Amino acid sequence: DMKALNTYRNQFDAAIRTYAEMTVQLNILTQRWVEEGCPIAETYINKTGAETTRKSTLYAAIESVRRDIRSREDALGLTPYGIKKINDEMKKKENHEGLGALLDGIDK
């Protein structure tokens, strides 16, 4: 996808590997969650013996990995927000380089 968007660079390989690992983790967690019947909440007994309801541990882990994946997708330019940010940064760099060339021409 990054090659199609023209955002791929060899320097991103480590981040891409981490992104791929997180995707595998999400698939494993989701499979376990489905096997357990997709519980979103669970009963929890705290240290004092009081019974409360909280988000299931598995569902909380899924949410956390999803957030991490989304953050990595943004950083790699794989979301509309991420690609816009990368394009904006590239334009700034190009404009800065163009200004530098113009200023260099003045000295000559």
Side-chain angles (χ1 to χ4, degrees), residues 46-70:
N46 65 20
K47 294 177 185 177
T48 63
E51 189 175 295
T52 61
T53 302
R54 68 176 184 184
K55 195 178 291 186
S56 78
T57 306
L58 208 47
Y59 188 71
I62 288 170
E63 283 186 325
S64 176
V65 173
R66 282 180 182 162
R67 276 191 301 274
D68 292 345
I69 286 173
R70 175 61 189 267

Side-chain angles (χ1 to χ4, degrees), residues 76-92:
L76 294 173
L78 295 172
T79 64
Y81 170 79
I83 191 72
K84 181 182 182 319
K85 185 175 177 184
I86 287 173
N87 287 339
D88 289 349
E89 288 176 10
M90 294 300 284
K91 285 179 187 175
K92 285 180 187 176

